[in-house]
Amino acid sequence: MEKKNLVKRILMSLFGVIICAISVGIFKIAALGVDPFQSFMAGLDALVPIKFGTLYVIANAVLFIFMLIFDRHYIGIATFINLFLLGYITQFTYEFLQTVIVEPAIWVRVLCLVVGVVIICFGSAFYMTADLGVSTYDAVALIIVNTWKRGKFQYVRIITDVVCVLLGVALFLISGGAARDIITIAGVGTIITAFFMGPLIEFFNVYCARPILNK
């Protein structure tokens, strides 16, 4: 890979992760559910008295050790960008938006959800097209399928997503969260991000990320 192309890919990875992190902050403001891994992180965040950014690094460091042990070839620059930046940017975005959008009406929350979905798909397209490693969570399903030869990716990914959501809800309830508030971490946003983002990511791949990479 020539140097100029590598620099472009690194910048695309960095841009993609930052955009995805901002989108998670918007999802949290919407309070209508976040993506499956963030459901787990939300439950963990409710239980553990540590700032979200630091907690995100710790949780992903554990998964990073899993990657080191079982298959290191999924580790790339984007893995570290995701590990060290996403949690802190999400924390900053959420805390900032809380000062701007105070006690939002339901239509504002729905609007935030729609904006969050579009933005996370846009960021994911850049992050994926750059192809410089995967996040520690994404690596789990890939290792189970490609390294351990257990099942097909789409089914394994659904299982890991469901496990994350169930763990997140369990941790949230253990922390003292009310059952009526479960929708804030496992709601319609969770369903959309788990099952319906593919076409929109591909749209941004075709019309934004790939043209920029190949320009």
Side-chain angles (χ1 to χ4, degrees):
M1 187 183 298
E2 61 183 66
K3 184 177 180 180
K4 185 176 181 180
N5 188 261
L6 176 60
V7 171
K8 184 183 288 188
R9 287 176 180 271
I10 292 173
L11 291 174
M12 287 179 66
S13 293
L14 181 61
F15 175 77
V17 169
I18 290 173
I19 293 299
C20 287
I22 291 172
S23 74
V24 175
I26 297 173
F27 273 110
K28 289 166 78 71
I29 283 292
L32 292 170
V34 290
D35 68 83
F37 183 65
Q38 292 300 335
S39 289
F40 166 71
M41 288 304 307
L44 195 63
D45 186 41
L47 184 66
V48 180
I50 300 176
K51 284 284 189 178
F52 181 82
T54 303
L55 187 63
Y56 187 88
V57 172
I58 294 171
N60 278 269
V62 173
L63 293 178
F64 182 74
I65 294 172
F66 175 83
M67 293 176 72
L68 282 176
I69 294 172
F70 294 107
D71 200 330
R72 300 182 182 183
H73 96 271
Y74 292 113
I75 299 173
I77 295 170
T79 307
F80 295 101
I81 293 174
N82 185 290
L83 197 161
F84 291 109
L85 285 185
L86 192 143
Y88 290 110
I89 296 172
T90 295
Q91 177 186 320
F92 173 81
T93 302
Y94 180 54
E95 290 176 352
F96 171 74
L97 289 176
Q98 281 182 308
T99 66
V100 178
I101 306 174
V102 182
E103 297 183 1
I106 185 63
W107 70 266
V108 176
R109 293 168 59 193
V110 171
L111 179 61
C112 286
L113 177 62
V114 173
V115 171
V117 169
V118 173
I119 290 178
I120 198 172
C121 290
F122 183 68
S124 296
F126 280 81
Y127 159 71
M128 292 176 180
T129 299
D131 194 24
L132 290 178
V134 301
S135 71
T136 56
Y137 175 64
D138 289 335
V140 173
L142 290 169
I143 289 172
I144 292 172
V145 173
N146 298 327
T147 306
W148 295 354
K149 308 298 182 185
R150 304 282 181 172
K152 294 183 178 181
F153 179 79
Q154 59 265 41
Y155 303 126
V156 172
R157 182 57 186 248
I158 289 173
I159 292 171
T160 58
D161 283 350
V162 169
V163 168
C164 273
V165 173
L166 292 177
L167 283 174
V169 170
L171 292 171
F172 178 74
L173 293 175
I174 292 171
S175 72
R180 67 177 180 275
D181 293 329
I182 289 176
I183 190 176
T184 62
I185 66 170
V188 63
T190 310
I191 296 171
I192 292 172
T193 54
F195 298 106
F196 301 109
M197 287 187 359
L200 191 53
I201 291 175
E202 183 60 18
F203 173 84
F204 286 125
N205 270 332
V206 172
Y207 292 102
C208 298
R210 289 172 193 160
I212 289 174
L213 178 63
N214 299 322
K215 185 176 179 181

